[in-house]
Amino acid sequence: SCVGPNESNCTSCKSNQFLTPDGYCVDDCPGNLFQNIENYKCEECENEYCLKCEESASRCLSCDEPSFLRTSTSECVLECPEGYYGNLESRTCEPCSNPNCIECDKEQCYTCRDRYYASGEDCYLCSDENCLKCEQKGKCNACIDGFTVNIEAGSCSKFSIGILMGILFSIGFGPAILFGTIYSVIYYKKRR
């Protein structure tokens, strides 16, 4: 049915046609309009970057720049989640080639999960099992709790007073601390 003489003056359409927001009857909804088969109306997709949606106004099939389609949720996002990169050709979020990679592009991994380091398109396990972050196989720069980085060796060591004293001696504070400790013990024994 129509409210005027023009084909854009429709308020409802014949069977199996959809009514557009601007009053036309069409066989298929154009652009970013969703074909609602319950009321036979073309409705706008919920996401402003969604070029085409189906089954519901929130289920996108393709996205417009600058967004990417996150296929697991059928939504358009401005940034792909961790472990994915934005494919500029398909406008979709694609998984990194290595499951331990959290920041990548199509050809290279830039950042890996804890205990791994990036090299080319892959992530490799740090060589020290107590290493939390490493730059390359034998170069640890952060350790798990209870361990400290041995900067010279690039590995992790169990934290102890002996290690602390060694560090303090190597940077010049050791003699003063050692003398202070010995003096305190002697002074304490004399006072008893």
Side-chain angles (χ1 to χ4, degrees):
S1 66
C2 301
V3 291
N6 299 328
E7 59 183 44
S8 65
N9 299 131
C10 299
T11 56
S12 63
C13 301
K14 63 182 180 181
S15 170
N16 295 331
Q17 282 197 319
F18 297 89
L19 179 65
T20 65
D22 52 358
Y24 287 92
C25 289
V26 293
D27 292 328
D28 292 304
C29 295
N32 69 336
L33 297 177
F34 157 65
Q35 292 184 178
N36 188 331
I37 58 172
E38 291 179 14
N39 61 11
Y40 282 89
K41 288 185 178 180
C42 295
E43 298 174 355
E44 288 189 19
C45 298
E46 288 179 4
N47 187 301
E48 65 181 300
Y49 297 109
C50 189
L51 290 175
K52 185 75 177 165
C53 54
E54 73 172 13
E55 293 179 23
S56 77
S58 63
R59 184 174 156 81
C60 287
L61 295 176
S62 61
C63 300
D64 196 9
E65 292 182 23
S67 69
F68 300 94
L69 178 65
R70 187 172 176 190
T71 54
S72 62
T73 59
S74 299
E75 64 181 327
C76 297
V77 294
L78 294 175
E79 288 186 24
C80 294
E82 196 174 89
Y84 290 80
Y85 70 94
N87 184 319
L88 297 173
E89 294 171 18
S90 65
R91 305 295 322 162
T92 57
C93 291
E94 301 290 335
C96 296
S97 62
N98 187 301
N100 292 307
C101 185
I102 56 175
E103 185 183 347
C104 66
D105 61 23
K106 186 175 185 176
E107 295 160 6
Q108 185 168 349
C109 179
Y110 299 104
T111 309
C112 298
R113 296 187 193 291
D114 286 349
R115 298 177 179 243
Y116 291 86
Y117 67 95
S119 181
E121 65 179 27
D122 285 323
C123 290
Y124 298 95
L125 191 61
C126 298
S127 57
D128 187 325
E129 66 181 14
N130 300 310
C131 186
L132 187 62
K133 299 201 181 290
C134 58
E135 295 172 17
Q136 52 193 352
K137 186 173 184 172
K139 198 74 172 160
C140 187
N141 53 14
C143 301
I144 61 173
D145 287 343
F147 290 81
T148 57
V149 176
N150 179 329
I151 295 169
E152 290 177 16
S155 61
C156 297
S157 302
K158 188 89 171 143
F159 184 77
S160 70
I161 295 299
I163 291 173
L164 178 60
M165 290 301 288
I167 293 169
L168 293 174
F169 268 99
S170 71
I171 60 175
F173 288 108
I177 291 171
L178 183 60
F179 177 73
T181 304
I182 293 170
Y183 177 78
S184 295
V185 169
I186 293 169
Y187 179 76
Y188 178 74
K189 284 186 176 184
K190 282 184 178 180
R191 292 195 45 131
R192 288 183 94 195

